[in-house]
């Protein structure tokens, strides 16, 4: 059965910067979500990708991602 997953992130996810000052952005969130097959994996994938992107730089804003799913 197909599963529908809804994800919401705070602006601190999209606006997190790498060492060059580039934002993580919506496109990177969407790319991370393409491989997620559960709500838990969606959140984990986005946050893991964000940590790699920022390379341990200090967090400047709140980081929050919430997901839920249901059988379609």
């Amino acid at each position: 059965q197909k599963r529908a997953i809804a994800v919401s992130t705070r602006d601190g996810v999209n606006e997190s910067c790498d060492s060059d000052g580039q934002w993580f952005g919506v496109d990177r969130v969407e790319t991370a979500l393409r491989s997620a097959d559960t709500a838990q994996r969606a959140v984990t994938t986005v946050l893991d990708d964000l940590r790699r992107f920022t390379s341990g730089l200090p967090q400047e804003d709140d980081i929050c991602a919430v997901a839920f799913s249901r059988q379609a």
Side-chain angles (χ1 to χ4, degrees), residues 1-45:
Q1 287 184 343
K2 206 161 184 161
R3 183 178 298 262
I5 301 173
V7 179
S8 177
T9 61
R10 297 279 300 166
D11 63 337
V13 173
N14 301 338
E15 295 173 3
S16 290
C17 293
D18 66 6
S19 59
D20 294 326
Q22 293 195 20
W23 284 6
F24 188 67
V26 174
D27 289 343
R28 285 187 179 88
V29 171
E30 290 174 351
T31 298
L33 293 175
R34 284 191 189 108
S35 64
D37 59 351
T38 67
Q40 181 176 349
R41 236 180 246 140
V43 170
T44 301
T45 301

